[in-house]
Amino acid sequence: MTYENILTSTENGIGQITINRPSKLNALNVATIQELHDAFDAFDKNSEVKVIIITGEGEKAFVAGADISEFANFSIEEGAQLAAQGQELLFDFVENLKTPVIAAVNGFALGGGLELAMSCHFRVASDNAKMGLPEVSLGVIPGYGGTQRLPQLVGKGRAMELIMTAGMIDTETAKSYGLVNHVVPQTELLEFTKGIASKIMRNSPMAIGKAISAINANYKDGVNGFETEIKNFGKCFGTEDFREGTTAFLEKRKADFNGK
Ligand code: COA
């Protein structure tokens, strides 16, 4: 598939998506959100892709936010629809993929950019990155899940302060908050992230998908995470990956998982 606003590639089981609008600091317009949906969907359905990494083109920005020029004149209904469609197509979609998604945050991750990074299963940042949700400085609030995922990741008080001040934090602060797992020099960001991806790839894709679903269940309204864990745990016993994993252990060899 060819895209206008993103680049995709696959290598050694890793699907990489690069948002490619560097002249606009990779701002997320509606067309880019649709392309990202299509690319994530295609990678998730491709059994050769075991881990997805998303990053931004250039040295300056991961994503500097939703494209302000697109929504500046929106009505109340259009604003609500923008948030609803974006959440469904991209942010909730990414969070609930069965394939692990790592954000390699290579610069500014602001507004929708930080919301996209927070939708990913975890984050690695380059040391020049800056993160924040500056929406209230524009007279609006985060609309792509930021008011929900930021408190989940950093705690309510820190999220309140970050959102109310519209401020940016550096990566050391982001790491101390638990917003990013690792901080590395920009030149090492992709190799470092791929190194984590290669550790993930040694394990059962089926079990990883079920673990993502059980972890996410804790954050869903009306869903009991412990019950989801029990159900998903049980389902593993009917899979080829479980048979392979346990047999390989008993036979003292490396497991060769097929994800089924
Ligand atoms: N939407 C649309 N365009 C954006 C954008 C966004 N969120 N963020 C940056 N851009 C565009 C700028 O308009 C500029 O385009 P131009 O060259 O055609 O004028 C280009 O990207 C470069 O940005 P610029 O502001 O010149 O870079 P800078 O280094 O001076 O500042 C930022 C960098 C990130 C501090 C600044 O771009 C910024 O504050 N962006 C908006 C962040 C934001 O509020 N995001 C939340 C949106 S809900």
Side-chain angles (χ1 to χ4, degrees), residues 21-29 60-61 63-71 108-113 115 132-138 140-144 166 168:
R21 300 181 75 213
S23 68
K24 295 292 172 192
L25 302 187
N26 301 322
L28 292 179
N29 57 6
K60 196 166 169 185
V63 172
D67 193 321
I68 299 166
S69 65
E70 249 187 9
F71 63 72
F108 287 114
L110 302 174
E115 289 173 304
L133 293 178
E135 284 87 346
V136 298
S137 71
L138 300 166
V140 69
I141 68 168
Y144 289 146
M168 287 186 211

Side-chain angles (χ1 to χ4, degrees), residues 76-115:
I76 293 173
E77 290 73 25
E78 288 171 321
Q81 199 189 14
L82 181 77
Q85 275 181 353
Q87 290 194 17
E88 185 183 337
L89 269 180
L90 184 58
F91 300 83
D92 293 352
F93 188 74
V94 168
E95 182 171 70
N96 292 302
L97 285 183
K98 65 180 188 317
T99 310
V101 183
I102 313 173
V105 180
N106 58 306
F108 287 114
L110 302 174
L114 180 56
E115 289 173 304

